[in-house]
């Protein structure tokens, strides 16, 4: 149920301007805002969040779910950009576990990422069990090694190296990853000693599953960086998941499809410098 309390309404009509599905309108004499077609509401909460006088009544957002923002406590543009400049894919992990309060904040930040049509279908699996971490490593190596063996076949290798030089470097890398893991018990390429993995997935299909999960990942990454938690995108794992759809999900008991992942751990050290990237490429039209 959505309504407007006329006693509190200041006639600013912000609710009319921000609603993405246009369920608010202005009366003909412009004396009040009214609700129309409330069945189109996607529950984004823009109307409630923008109303300074608490005039919008929305049953999805009772008073205990509405929180005033102290803008003075928000990060400045300079602080935000410094955090982004500072963020690196730090793969030097210590054996110290990630504190529970840190993982809770990372998960909340990830959960608060925008989703298409505000469907909020993104789900999370936080993996810290050493046996399940091993299962992720072994699944990923198992997905790539058959390709590596084909590319390394004596008759195929020279053709592959000549025609796909950029791809062949991964053949060499995975050969080393697999040997180090099987012979020395060291994961030098998949999770690299991370003590936790955050997997981001959906159980109900939508048109923007992957995009929503990538947005959730970015929020989680920046929160982890602000907490001093090292992390990197598990690209090899996600590519392996796409090659063998539903295999890793079944191994870990996940009902759905994994679209993004992050390896995390407390760092051995922090980077004291940030470096410039290549010159920005942008078109202004």
């Amino acid at each position: 149920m959505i309504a407007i309390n006329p006693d509190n309404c200041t006639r600013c009509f912000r609710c009319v301007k921000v609603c993405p599905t246009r369920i608010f309108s202005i009366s003909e004499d412009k004396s009040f805002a009214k609700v129309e077609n409330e069945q189109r509401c996607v529950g984004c909460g823009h109307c409630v969040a923008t109303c300074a006088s608490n005039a919008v009544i929305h049953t999805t957002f009772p008073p205990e779910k509405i929180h005033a923002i102290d803008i003075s406590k928000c990060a400045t543009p300079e602080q935000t950009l410094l955090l982004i400049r500072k963020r690196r894919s730090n793969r030097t992990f210590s054996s110290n576990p990630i504190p529970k309060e840190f993982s809770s904040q990372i998960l909340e930040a990830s959960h608060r990422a925008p989703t298409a049509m505000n469907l909020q279908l993104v789900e999370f699996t936080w993996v810290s069990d050493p046996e399940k971490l091993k299962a992720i490593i072994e699944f990923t190596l198992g997905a790539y090694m058959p390709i590596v063996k084909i590319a390394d076949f004596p008759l195929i290798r020279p053709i592959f190296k000549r025609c796909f030089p950029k791809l062949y470097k991964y053949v060499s890398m995975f050969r080393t990853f697999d040997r180090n893991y099987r012979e020395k018990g060291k994961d030098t390429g998949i999770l690299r000693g991370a003590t936790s993995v955050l997997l981001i997935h959906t159980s109900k299909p939508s048109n923007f599953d992957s995009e929503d999960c990538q947005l959730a990942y970015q929020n989680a990454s920046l929160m982890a960086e602000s907490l001093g938690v090292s992390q990197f995108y598990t690209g090899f794992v996600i590519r392996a998941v796409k090659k063998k759809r539903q295999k890793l999900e079944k191994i870990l008991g996940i009902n759905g499809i994994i679209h993004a992942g992050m390896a995390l751990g407390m760092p051995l050290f922090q980077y004291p410098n940030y470096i410039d990237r290549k010159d920005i490429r942008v078109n202004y039209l």
Side-chain angles (χ1 to χ4, degrees):
M1 188 276 289
I2 309 168
I4 296 176
N5 183 340
D7 294 332
N8 289 359
C9 181
T10 61
R11 282 68 176 170
C12 67
F13 303 126
R14 288 184 178 184
C15 55
V16 179
K17 297 172 184 176
V18 302
C19 179
T21 54
R22 303 291 190 227
I23 67 171
F24 297 94
S25 63
I26 303 174
S27 64
E28 290 185 5
D29 61 1
K30 299 183 179 181
S31 62
F32 62 92
K34 57 183 180 178
V35 179
E36 298 176 326
N37 304 310
E38 69 179 64
Q39 72 277 3
R40 295 202 308 236
C41 177
V42 296
C44 66
H46 284 348
C47 56
V48 177
T50 195
C51 185
S53 60
N54 297 320
V56 179
I57 302 168
H58 199 309
T59 51
T60 304
F61 306 101
E64 63 269 20
K65 287 193 172 186
I66 304 171
H67 310 278
I69 299 173
D70 185 349
I71 300 296
S72 67
K73 293 183 178 179
C74 292
T76 65
E78 293 78 14
Q79 290 169 333
T80 303
L81 188 55
L82 181 60
L83 178 67
I84 293 170
R85 287 169 172 167
K86 171 182 175 290
R87 187 224 167 270
R88 299 199 68 80
S89 297
N90 188 348
R91 297 173 175 85
T92 54
F93 300 110
S94 72
S95 59
N96 298 326
I98 298 172
K100 179 66 175 178
E101 60 270 24
F102 284 11
S103 60
S104 296
Q105 288 176 281
I106 292 168
L107 285 165
E108 180 182 349
S110 195
H111 177 59
R112 286 187 174 274
T115 59
M117 291 298 294
N118 194 45
L119 291 175
Q120 300 185 44
L121 299 177
V122 178
E123 301 173 9
F124 308 92
T125 296
W126 188 281
V127 184
S128 298
D129 183 337
E131 291 303 312
K132 288 185 169 59
L133 294 174
K134 283 177 60 178
I136 295 173
I137 297 167
E138 291 167 3
F139 163 82
T140 305
L141 290 173
Y144 283 97
M145 289 315 295
I147 303 171
V148 170
K149 290 176 181 177
I150 292 172
D152 253 354
F153 193 73
L155 295 177
I156 296 176
R157 186 189 305 128
I159 300 172
F160 196 97
K161 287 180 70 174
R162 184 171 63 253
C163 296
F164 307 103
K166 291 183 179 179
L167 283 178
Y168 190 76
K169 69 178 182 180
Y170 289 105
V171 171
S172 176
M173 284 171 52
F174 268 92
R175 194 190 313 114
T176 302
F177 295 163
D178 185 65
R179 185 172 60 249
N180 286 342
Y181 187 76
R182 284 188 297 103
E183 297 178 3
K184 303 176 183 178
K186 293 183 178 180
D187 170 28
T188 57
I190 308 304
L191 300 183
R192 310 238 184 160
T195 57
S196 296
V197 168
L198 172 61
L199 296 172
I200 307 173
H201 46 89
T202 55
S203 58
K204 297 179 181 179
S206 76
N207 292 327
F208 298 95
D209 291 351
S210 179
E211 290 82 357
D212 289 346
C213 288
Q214 307 312 319
L215 289 171
Y217 167 86
Q218 188 61 23
N219 268 25
S221 177
L222 290 176
M223 176 54 75
E225 188 68 35
S226 73
L227 292 167
V229 176
S230 293
Q231 22 71 43
F232 66 87
Y233 190 86
T234 55
F236 289 144
V237 177
I238 300 306
R239 292 298 299 176
V241 167
K242 291 181 178 180
K243 290 177 183 293
K244 292 190 172 184
R245 183 64 77 195
Q246 293 297 311
K247 293 286 187 177
L248 184 58
E249 290 89 344
K250 185 176 181 180
I251 291 170
L252 298 176
I254 292 173
N255 177 28
I257 298 175
I258 298 169
H259 295 283
M262 177 188 299
L264 309 99
M266 299 310 295
L268 281 175
F269 51 81
Q270 295 281 2
Y271 288 81
N273 306 307
Y274 75 82
I275 58 175
D276 290 334
R277 296 178 68 84
K278 295 177 181 178
D279 290 343
I280 188 171
R281 297 184 295 275
V282 58
N283 292 323
Y284 295 100
L285 303 177

Coordinates of all heavy atoms in Angstrom, one line a residue, residues 105-114 213-226 262:
Q105 N 30.1 -6.5 6.9 CA 30.0 -5.3 6.2 C 30.2 -5.4 4.7 O 29.6 -4.7 3.9 CB 31.1 -4.3 6.8 CG 30.8 -3.8 8.2 CD 31.9 -3.0 8.8 OE1 32.9 -3.5 9.3 NE2 31.8 -1.7 8.7
I106 N 31.1 -6.4 4.3 CA 31.3 -6.6 2.9 C 30.1 -7.2 2.3 O 29.7 -6.7 1.2 CB 32.5 -7.6 2.7 CG1 33.8 -6.9 3.2 CG2 32.6 -8.1 1.3 CD1 35.0 -7.9 3.3
L107 N 29.4 -8.1 3.0 CA 28.2 -8.6 2.4 C 27.1 -7.6 2.3 O 26.3 -7.5 1.4 CB 27.7 -9.8 3.3 CG 28.5 -11.1 3.2 CD1 28.2 -12.0 4.3 CD2 28.2 -11.7 1.8
E108 N 27.0 -6.7 3.4 CA 25.9 -5.7 3.3 C 26.2 -4.7 2.1 O 25.3 -4.3 1.4 CB 25.8 -4.9 4.6 CG 24.8 -3.8 4.5 CD 24.6 -2.9 5.7 OE1 25.3 -3.2 6.7 OE2 23.9 -1.9 5.6
A109 N 27.5 -4.3 1.9 CA 27.8 -3.4 0.8 C 27.4 -4.1 -0.5 O 26.9 -3.4 -1.4 CB 29.3 -3.1 0.9
S110 N 27.7 -5.4 -0.6 CA 27.4 -6.1 -1.9 C 25.9 -6.2 -2.1 O 25.4 -6.0 -3.2 CB 28.0 -7.5 -1.8 OG 28.1 -8.1 -3.1
H111 N 25.2 -6.4 -1.0 CA 23.7 -6.6 -1.1 C 23.1 -5.3 -1.5 O 22.0 -5.3 -2.1 CB 23.2 -7.1 0.2 CG 21.7 -7.2 0.3 ND1 21.0 -8.0 -0.6 CD2 20.8 -6.6 1.1 CE1 19.7 -7.9 -0.3 NE2 19.6 -7.1 0.7
R112 N 23.7 -4.1 -1.1 CA 23.1 -2.8 -1.4 C 23.3 -2.3 -2.8 O 22.9 -1.2 -3.2 CB 23.6 -1.8 -0.4 CG 23.0 -2.0 1.0 CD 23.4 -0.9 1.9 NE 22.7 -1.0 3.2 CZ 21.4 -0.5 3.5 NH1 20.8 0.1 2.5 NH2 20.9 -0.6 4.6
A113 N 24.0 -3.1 -3.6 CA 24.3 -2.7 -5.0 C 22.9 -2.6 -5.8 O 22.0 -3.4 -5.5 CB 25.2 -3.6 -5.7
P114 N 22.8 -1.7 -6.8 CA 21.6 -1.7 -7.5 C 21.3 -2.9 -8.4 O 22.3 -3.6 -8.7 CB 21.8 -0.5 -8.4 CG 23.2 -0.3 -8.5 CD 23.8 -0.8 -7.2
C213 N 25.2 -9.1 -10.6 CA 26.2 -9.8 -9.8 C 27.5 -9.0 -9.9 O 28.3 -8.9 -8.9 CB 26.4 -11.2 -10.1 SG 25.0 -12.3 -9.6
Q214 N 27.9 -8.5 -11.0 CA 29.1 -7.7 -11.2 C 29.0 -6.4 -10.4 O 30.0 -6.0 -9.8 CB 29.4 -7.4 -12.7 CG 29.4 -8.6 -13.6 CD 30.2 -9.8 -13.1 OE1 31.3 -9.6 -12.5 NE2 29.7 -11.0 -13.3
L215 N 27.8 -5.8 -10.4 CA 27.7 -4.6 -9.6 C 27.8 -4.9 -8.1 O 28.4 -4.1 -7.3 CB 26.3 -4.0 -9.8 CG 26.1 -3.3 -11.2 CD1 24.6 -3.0 -11.4 CD2 26.9 -2.1 -11.4
A216 N 27.3 -6.0 -7.7 CA 27.4 -6.4 -6.3 C 28.9 -6.7 -5.9 O 29.4 -6.3 -4.8 CB 26.6 -7.7 -6.0
Y217 N 29.6 -7.3 -6.9 CA 31.0 -7.5 -6.7 C 31.8 -6.2 -6.4 O 32.6 -6.1 -5.5 CB 31.7 -8.2 -7.9 CG 33.2 -8.2 -7.8 CD1 33.9 -9.2 -7.1 CD2 33.9 -7.2 -8.4 CE1 35.2 -9.2 -7.0 CE2 35.3 -7.2 -8.3 CZ 35.9 -8.1 -7.7 OH 37.3 -8.1 -7.6
Q218 N 31.5 -5.2 -7.2 CA 32.3 -4.0 -7.1 C 32.0 -3.3 -5.8 O 33.0 -2.8 -5.2 CB 31.8 -3.0 -8.3 CG 32.7 -1.7 -8.4 CD 34.2 -2.0 -8.6 OE1 34.5 -3.1 -9.2 NE2 35.0 -1.1 -8.3
N219 N 30.8 -3.3 -5.3 CA 30.5 -2.8 -4.0 C 31.3 -3.5 -2.9 O 31.9 -2.9 -2.0 CB 29.0 -2.9 -3.6 CG 28.2 -1.7 -4.0 OD1 28.6 -0.9 -4.9 ND2 27.1 -1.5 -3.4
A220 N 31.3 -4.9 -3.0 CA 32.1 -5.7 -2.0 C 33.6 -5.4 -2.1 O 34.2 -5.3 -1.0 CB 31.8 -7.2 -2.3
S221 N 34.1 -5.2 -3.3 CA 35.5 -5.0 -3.4 C 35.9 -3.7 -2.8 O 37.0 -3.6 -2.1 CB 35.9 -4.9 -4.9 OG 37.2 -4.6 -5.1
L222 N 35.2 -2.6 -3.0 CA 35.5 -1.3 -2.4 C 35.4 -1.3 -0.9 O 36.2 -0.7 -0.1 CB 34.6 -0.2 -3.0 CG 35.0 0.1 -4.5 CD1 34.0 1.1 -5.0 CD2 36.4 0.6 -4.6
M223 N 34.3 -2.1 -0.4 CA 34.2 -2.2 1.1 C 35.4 -2.9 1.7 O 35.9 -2.6 2.7 CB 32.9 -2.8 1.4 CG 32.7 -3.1 2.9 SD 32.9 -1.6 4.0 CE 31.4 -0.7 3.6
A224 N 35.7 -4.0 1.0 CA 36.9 -4.8 1.5 C 38.1 -4.0 1.5 O 38.9 -4.0 2.5 CB 37.1 -6.0 0.6
E225 N 38.3 -3.2 0.5 CA 39.5 -2.3 0.4 C 39.5 -1.3 1.6 O 40.5 -1.0 2.2 CB 39.5 -1.5 -0.9 CG 40.8 -0.7 -1.1 CD 42.0 -1.6 -1.3 OE1 41.9 -2.7 -1.9 OE2 43.1 -1.2 -0.9
S226 N 38.3 -0.7 1.9 CA 38.2 0.3 3.0 C 38.5 -0.4 4.3 O 39.0 0.3 5.3 CB 36.9 0.9 3.0 OG 35.9 0.0 3.4
M262 N 35.0 -13.5 -5.5 CA 36.1 -12.8 -5.0 C 36.8 -13.6 -4.0 O 36.2 -14.3 -3.1 CB 35.5 -11.5 -4.3 CG 36.6 -10.7 -3.6 SD 35.8 -9.4 -2.6 CE 34.9 -8.4 -3.9

